[in-house]
Amino acid sequence: MRQSTADVVICGGGVMGAGLAYELAGRGARPLLIESRAIASGASGKAAGLLSPASDARAVGPLGLLWRASLARHHELAEELKALGAPGYGFEESPSLLIAADAAEAHTLRQAAPSRWLEPDEVRARCAWIDGPIEGGLLREASAAINPAAFTQALIHAAQARGARIEHGRVTGLSLNGRSVAGVRVGGEVISTNTVVLAMGPWTSEIGSWIGSRVPVTPLKGQILRLRLPPAPAETRFSDMDGNYMARKSDGLVYVGTTEEQVGFDETPTAAARRQILRQAGRFVSAVSQAEVVGQTACLRPLSPDGLPILGEAPRLSGVFIATGHGRAGLLLAPGSAAALAAHITGEPPAIDLAPFEPARFA
C-alpha cells in the first residue's frame, strides 16, 4: 500500500529525479520518487556517459558555472556513493580530445582555455584510431566516463539509504489549494505533499495544463551505436566540434554517436541514423568500415528553446518545481542541477544562482 503523504514528491526516475532524491534526502527531507516505467528507462539509461569540460560557448555565463559545478559534483559523488555502499557505476577519469577537422575549427579551438592544444601527430600518438585528415585538437584532462544506467541506479540506492522512497505509477495531475500544491495524483490516488518536482524529461512539456503555464521543452532524439572495433585499445576518447564522438567503454565496446533528430516522441532506432553515425565516424577513423555493430539505442533528450536548463519554481504556483531542459548534457549537468535545486527547496543558499534557469523566463 502506497503511503499517502510525502515531504517532497519527485515525478520522474531519470538521472535528474534520482539526483534530486539523493540530494533532498541528504538535506533531511524524505522524498518520494514516482516513475511510470522503470528507473533510467529513457535517456539516462542509454547515453554514452562521457563527461568533459566545456570548451566552447557553453563554458561561459550561467551554463558554464553550472557545467563546472556539475563536473566537480560528479567527482565528489564517486567517493560519496562508494562510501554509502552504492553499487559501482564505472566512474573512470580519462582524458578526452576535441579535434579540429579544418583550419577554421583549429583557429576557434586554439582560443579555448585551459585545455592544451595538440598538433595532428600528437593527437594520433594519443589516439591511434584517428587516421583521417585533422588539424589538431584540444586535450581535456579533467574528463571522465561512467555507465549512465548504473550511475542512476547508484543514486537511487544511496537515496534509499538516506530515507527516500521509490515507487512506480503514472502521475496524472496535481491537487491544488488555491495557488499552492496540496498533492500529486497517481492513478486514482492523491499523495499529499506541499512540494513537488516535475522532472519528466521531454514529457514535462505535457504538464502545462496542470500548472497553468507552458514548459517549452521538445524531445531531441539521439541514437548511439555500440561497435566491436578491432583493435579496441584503451585510448583517449575523442569528439569533433559537431558533437560526434568515439569512446571505448569498460566492456570493451566502442560507443559511437550521436544524432540530433526533431521527430517528436519516436524512440525507434533507424537504419538511416546508423548509416549517418558510421559515415561521420569514418571521416576520422577508417577502421570503422570493418567494425561490427553489436547494438543501437535511441533516446529522447529534453531541449529548451534557449539551450539552458529549466530549474526552479513554476510561475504563479507555490511548491511546484520544474527540473528539465538539459538537452544533450543531461547526464553531465544533473548532479549540479540537483544539488542547487535541492538546496533551494530546503531553504539553503544554492551553490549557483538559479535565476537564469527559472521557468518564469518563458511565462
Side-chain angles (χ1 to χ4, degrees):
M1 176 69 66
R2 177 181 290 130
Q3 295 184 37
S4 58
T5 62
D7 291 350
V8 183
V9 175
I10 302 165
C11 305
V15 68
M16 191 68 232
L20 280 163
Y22 174 76
E23 297 288 355
L24 285 165
R27 288 167 169 78
R30 292 294 177 264
L32 169 63
L33 185 150
I34 304 292
E35 165 57 34
S36 63
R37 297 195 292 186
I39 297 298
S41 59
S44 299
K46 297 174 182 175
L50 309 178
L51 313 175
S52 298
S55 301
D56 53 20
R58 297 171 298 181
V60 299
L63 185 58
L65 293 174
L66 178 59
W67 199 288
R68 288 187 289 276
S70 294
L71 198 54
R73 188 73 185 118
H74 267 290
H75 286 266
E76 294 169 353
L77 286 170
E79 300 298 326
E80 286 183 24
L81 298 179
K82 182 179 179 180
L84 287 169
Y89 55 91
F91 180 87
E92 178 185 14
E93 294 179 312
S94 58
S96 65
L97 289 163
L98 180 58
I99 60 174
D102 54 39
E105 291 184 355
H107 176 75
T108 299
L109 290 182
R110 281 180 178 274
Q111 315 307 311
S115 303
R116 174 186 160 202
W117 177 257
L118 301 180
E119 297 298 333
D121 288 347
E122 295 176 288
V123 170
R124 295 189 179 94
R126 285 184 170 269
C127 189
W129 278 334
I130 299 175
D131 55 4
I134 59 171
E135 291 291 327
L138 291 181
L139 179 65
R140 299 179 291 186
E141 296 279 8
S143 301
I146 60 176
N147 178 313
F151 175 60
T152 307
Q153 292 287 356
L155 287 169
I156 291 292
H157 181 280
Q160 289 176 306
R162 288 176 157 185
R165 293 180 284 134
I166 314 297
E167 296 185 9
H168 292 277
R170 180 172 174 77
V171 177
T172 56
L174 302 178
S175 175
L176 300 178
N177 181 9
R179 302 305 300 173
S180 299
V181 68
V184 176
R185 300 185 185 278
V186 182
E189 180 183 0
V190 175
I191 300 173
S192 298
T193 186
N194 294 321
T195 308
V196 60
V197 185
L198 303 167
M200 301 180 292
W203 291 273
T204 313
S205 62
E206 300 175 356
I207 56 90
S209 61
W210 305 356
I211 64 174
S213 60
R214 70 190 185 105
V215 182
V217 288
T218 54
L220 181 67
K221 184 177 180 179
Q223 303 192 47
I224 300 174
L225 302 182
R226 277 75 167 165
L227 307 183
R228 186 168 287 117
L229 182 63
E235 296 176 296
T236 303
R237 57 186 170 88
F238 76 89
S239 58
D240 67 16
M241 290 186 68
D242 295 322
N244 306 304
Y245 54 80
M246 286 186 65
R248 177 187 180 274
K249 301 301 290 286
S250 58
D251 59 6
L253 296 181
V254 178
Y255 282 40
V256 186
T258 181
T259 62
E260 295 185 355
E261 305 168 61
Q262 304 270 2
V263 291
F265 288 88
D266 177 10
E267 298 177 81
T268 307
T270 65
R274 173 174 167 169
R275 291 190 296 268
Q276 174 186 330
I277 293 169
L278 291 174
R279 182 172 62 251
Q280 290 167 338
R283 294 171 54 207
F284 305 106
V285 180
S286 62
V288 165
S289 62
Q290 286 112 33
E292 175 190 1
V293 179
V294 298
Q296 180 175 353
T297 58
C299 64
L300 304 176
R301 294 80 60 100
L303 186 66
S304 72
D306 60 7
L308 295 180
I310 304 173
L311 299 168
E313 199 162 14
R316 299 181 295 278
L317 277 181
S318 175
V320 179
F321 295 84
I322 298 170
T324 188
H326 294 79
R328 285 184 54 173
L331 189 74
L332 191 152
L333 295 175
S337 299
L341 189 56
H344 179 63
I345 289 170
T346 55
E348 300 177 19
I352 60 169
D353 181 13
L354 289 176
F357 309 110
E358 289 286 347
R361 71 187 191 271
F362 300 116

